[in-house]
Amino acid sequence: SDRLPTAGGSAAPPPENSNSTVRELVAENSVVVFARKGCCMCHVVKLLLHGHGVNPTIVDIDEQNEAGIKNDLSRILGGGGVDGANSGNSAAVPQFPAVFMGGELFGGLEEIMGAHISGELVPRLREARALWL
Amino acid sequence: MNSTSARFVPSKRMGICEPMHQMAMWDFKGNNFLETSPPSMFEIETNLDNLSEDTSHGTVGPSSKYDQEASKSDDKVRRRLAQNREAARKSRLRKKAYVQQLESSKLRLIQLEQELHRTRLQQGQYVGGGIDTSQLGYSETTNPGIATFEMEYGQWVEEQNRQISELRSALNSDMGDMELHIFVDCGMRHYSDLFTMKATAAKADVFHIISGMWKTSAERFFLWIAGFRPSELLKILMPNLEPLTEQQRLDVSNLRQSCQQAEDALSQGMEKLHYILAETIAEGQLGEGNYLHQIGSTIDKFEALARFVVQADHLRQETLQQIYRILSTRQAAQGLLAMGEYLQRLRTLSSCWSSRPTEQT
């Protein structure tokens, strides 16, 4: 079935295998959203971020790559990680959609919405160099 | 009020006023609220003794006292005055400590009362009511999770009505911010409890929750994803929060805008889910008569509906918390009262409407 056209946002090709691809994605892009294909929650996250002028990198998760990506993410979050600050996080993979900002796990839709309401989202986006103003 | 103040009484009134001064202190101490400290009683007795000693030296009249050149008598007078002042000062301090104790006990009492209400509610000690049983759908009898929710919600509404009355009285009285704060916290927690209840019930039967079957008809009319629309609520609340500072006005306005953006995003997400569910159930050739597969794959996607209810409630919770941050305690109390009464009006509207006389056809 066709997905509804998404409003902007670049969809990165689902990383095939290596840990480093997911790691690279998270490190090199200011905002990365991992979400299952056709996920409606992801749609909401995208809309909220677009509203702030941010074009997140979307990583589509499907049955084939799900296990691999979850593995990679848990390694990133569990020990060492993209940057040392994440070593405190548990190795458990977050629920999808999962938003990474500035190389760190920011959270899911709940965290994005919470930050949007409390006014914390914009400063965090700026910190992650996702905003230019 | 200051019967115990040790104002320096002008000398010419010394003889007359002092005994009364002593009496006032005696009264206060005699009440036994404070630890009646023997020293103070002793002080008084000493003072009274001194007084009687002095009067024996002459008449109580002003001129005779001050005509006395004897320094011995002056010393005694000075000593007595100093003792009085000291005793009065200690008395004032004790009184202050006592009043502070009273006030913190009062706060604690209010807190305990609220906790007791909450506990009783949770243990189901209140008889549930306020549910318009004609609104209940069939699922209420077959789904225990929903039956529990309906009962708990009935109690929630009763407690809500009680809190509204309490807030109203509190705001009309001269209650201070510290006490008001307790009521505000209570109100916030009450909404939090509702969101928790809804999340559990949505797992039991998301359609019951999302259709608003558990609410009254007027509330259902204004429903947005199983509850109130935060930006709408802010619009209604604003005039009832005056006076607002310019900063607050700006903050509330920004909050309202953020809410609208979040609501739009959630609404669009729901529309997408709508579309996907419609597609899934209609998949394949319609008419073949074999559609178990479609039913299965559609049901699999219902879990997403429950997540939307949770996210919408989360938005409501965040909005309430943000407005709590923006407002003063008093304003927050006013806001909770306004919000509570608004929802109460909708419920009353519904019951008036449903009990109106209808024409027989």
Side-chain angles (χ1 to χ4, degrees), chain A residues 56-120:
Chain A
T57 304
I58 313 287
V59 177
D60 287 328
I61 299 185
D62 55 34
E63 278 156 11
Q64 285 89 38
N65 62 27
E66 178 160 348
I69 293 185
K70 275 187 171 168
N71 233 340
D72 294 344
L73 284 177
S74 93
R75 254 180 272 154
I76 293 174
L77 297 171
V82 173
D83 68 81
N86 266 333
S87 50
N89 283 344
S90 72
V93 180
Q95 216 192 7
F96 297 124
V99 183
F100 279 76
M101 222 182 272
E104 285 180 21
L105 175 65
F106 185 83
L109 173 57
E110 201 161 294
E111 283 74 28
I112 292 282
M113 204 149 58
H116 175 76
I117 292 296
S118 68
E120 288 164 31

Side-chain angles (χ1 to χ4, degrees), chain A residues 1-4 6 36-41 43-48 51-52 95-97 108-111 113-120, chain B residues 255 257-259 261-262 264-276 279 303-304 307-312 314-315 318-319 322 325:
Chain A
S1 55
D2 286 327
R3 269 187 298 149
L4 285 179
T6 55
R36 294 208 169 85
K37 260 175 109 166
C39 169
C40 303
M41 295 271 146
H43 192 62
V44 181
V45 169
K46 267 189 279 177
L47 286 170
L48 279 174
H52 288 287
Q95 216 192 7
F96 297 124
L109 173 57
E110 201 161 294
E111 283 74 28
M113 204 149 58
H116 175 76
I117 292 296
S118 68
E120 288 164 31
Chain B
L255 176 60
Q257 200 177 40
S258 300
C259 281
Q261 289 163 348
D264 286 344
L266 278 170
S267 293
Q268 289 188 52
M270 277 288 276
E271 268 177 40
K272 179 169 176 173
L273 184 57
H274 229 123
Y275 177 84
I276 289 177
E279 270 213 332
E303 180 244 342
R307 286 180 75 187
F308 266 100
V309 171
V310 169
Q311 290 305 319
H314 181 70
L315 175 62
E318 288 288 327
T319 305
Q322 185 67 6
R325 278 177 220 130

Side-chain angles (χ1 to χ4, degrees), chain B residues 34-143:
Chain B
L34 317 166
E35 336 151 21
T36 43
S37 33
S40 60
M41 299 305 287
F42 176 77
E43 265 170 24
I44 291 183
E45 283 173 25
T46 317
N47 289 332
L48 287 173
D49 281 344
N50 289 342
L51 188 59
S52 56
E53 264 185 66
D54 269 339
T55 50
S56 68
H57 280 236
T59 62
V60 179
S63 47
S64 52
K65 265 224 163 96
Y66 267 74
D67 281 343
Q68 294 256 347
E69 292 287 319
S71 56
K72 207 167 50 166
S73 158
D74 276 348
D75 276 346
K76 274 200 187 141
V77 165
R78 270 194 284 273
R79 216 179 340 123
R80 188 160 26 95
L81 286 174
Q83 280 169 343
N84 285 353
R85 276 197 295 275
E86 187 51 34
R89 192 181 71 86
K90 285 188 185 161
S91 178
R92 275 197 303 278
L93 285 174
R94 272 193 300 268
K95 184 178 177 183
K96 187 175 173 192
Y98 167 62
V99 170
Q100 274 172 355
Q101 203 182 40
L102 263 186
E103 283 183 347
S104 61
S105 296
K106 192 172 157 198
L107 280 177
R108 182 77 188 125
L109 180 64
I110 293 174
Q111 231 167 13
L112 284 172
E113 265 186 324
Q114 298 301 327
E115 274 178 43
L116 183 63
H117 276 298
R118 210 163 164 243
T119 312
R120 280 198 179 138
L121 211 65
Q122 285 165 0
Q123 290 174 356
Q125 282 180 31
Y126 286 135
V127 177
I131 321 168
D132 181 357
T133 50
S134 68
Q135 312 285 5
L136 297 176
Y138 75 96
S139 59
E140 185 267 331
T141 51
T142 57
N143 191 326

Side-chain angles (χ1 to χ4, degrees), chain B residues 32-308:
Chain B
N32 214 27
F33 292 127
L34 317 166
E35 336 151 21
T36 43
S37 33
S40 60
M41 299 305 287
F42 176 77
E43 265 170 24
I44 291 183
E45 283 173 25
T46 317
N47 289 332
L48 287 173
D49 281 344
N50 289 342
L51 188 59
S52 56
E53 264 185 66
D54 269 339
T55 50
S56 68
H57 280 236
T59 62
V60 179
S63 47
S64 52
K65 265 224 163 96
Y66 267 74
D67 281 343
Q68 294 256 347
E69 292 287 319
S71 56
K72 207 167 50 166
S73 158
D74 276 348
D75 276 346
K76 274 200 187 141
V77 165
R78 270 194 284 273
R79 216 179 340 123
R80 188 160 26 95
L81 286 174
Q83 280 169 343
N84 285 353
R85 276 197 295 275
E86 187 51 34
R89 192 181 71 86
K90 285 188 185 161
S91 178
R92 275 197 303 278
L93 285 174
R94 272 193 300 268
K95 184 178 177 183
K96 187 175 173 192
Y98 167 62
V99 170
Q100 274 172 355
Q101 203 182 40
L102 263 186
E103 283 183 347
S104 61
S105 296
K106 192 172 157 198
L107 280 177
R108 182 77 188 125
L109 180 64
I110 293 174
Q111 231 167 13
L112 284 172
E113 265 186 324
Q114 298 301 327
E115 274 178 43
L116 183 63
H117 276 298
R118 210 163 164 243
T119 312
R120 280 198 179 138
L121 211 65
Q122 285 165 0
Q123 290 174 356
Q125 282 180 31
Y126 286 135
V127 177
I131 321 168
D132 181 357
T133 50
S134 68
Q135 312 285 5
L136 297 176
Y138 75 96
S139 59
E140 185 267 331
T141 51
T142 57
N143 191 326
I146 294 299
T148 306
F149 172 73
E150 289 285 359
M151 182 202 65
E152 286 179 346
Y153 180 65
Q155 290 169 350
W156 187 91
V157 171
E158 280 203 2
E159 173 63 12
Q160 176 77 335
N161 290 332
R162 194 194 65 79
Q163 281 189 10
I164 290 169
S165 303
E166 232 174 26
L167 266 174
R168 205 178 278 126
S169 320
L171 283 166
N172 284 332
S173 75
D174 60 353
M175 190 178 281
D177 273 5
M178 277 185 77
E179 289 151 308
L180 261 182
H181 191 77
I182 297 179
F183 289 109
V184 169
D185 276 353
C186 236
M188 295 288 285
R189 242 183 315 164
H190 198 56
Y191 281 107
S192 202
D193 289 345
L194 178 62
F195 299 141
T196 306
M197 277 161 53
K198 280 167 76 181
T200 309
K203 287 202 197 91
D205 180 1
V206 67
F207 287 117
H208 188 85
I209 299 302
I210 216 165
S211 65
M213 291 297 294
W214 50 290
K215 283 198 181 244
T216 60
S217 42
E219 289 174 293
R220 259 203 301 278
F221 176 68
F222 291 109
L223 212 65
W224 174 79
I225 313 187
F228 63 82
R229 193 184 268 270
S231 62
E232 267 291 311
L233 189 78
L234 285 175
K235 189 171 90 173
I236 288 168
L237 283 188
M238 261 195 92
N240 295 283
L241 299 172
E242 297 293 350
L244 288 165
T245 66
E246 272 319 295
Q247 184 61 47
Q248 283 178 325
R249 216 179 294 274
L250 185 65
D251 287 341
V252 175
S253 180
N254 286 340
L255 176 60
R256 206 172 140 212
Q257 200 177 40
S258 300
C259 281
Q260 268 165 341
Q261 289 163 348
E263 285 160 24
D264 286 344
L266 278 170
S267 293
Q268 289 188 52
M270 277 288 276
E271 268 177 40
K272 179 169 176 173
L273 184 57
H274 229 123
Y275 177 84
I276 289 177
L277 287 172
E279 270 213 332
T280 311
I281 192 68
E283 209 181 1
Q285 196 68 9
L286 286 164
E288 278 183 350
N290 179 7
Y291 41 78
L292 273 175
H293 168 74
Q294 286 86 339
I295 297 206
S297 41
T298 311
I299 287 186
D300 282 345
K301 299 186 160 73
F302 283 170
E303 180 244 342
L305 260 179
R307 286 180 75 187
F308 266 100

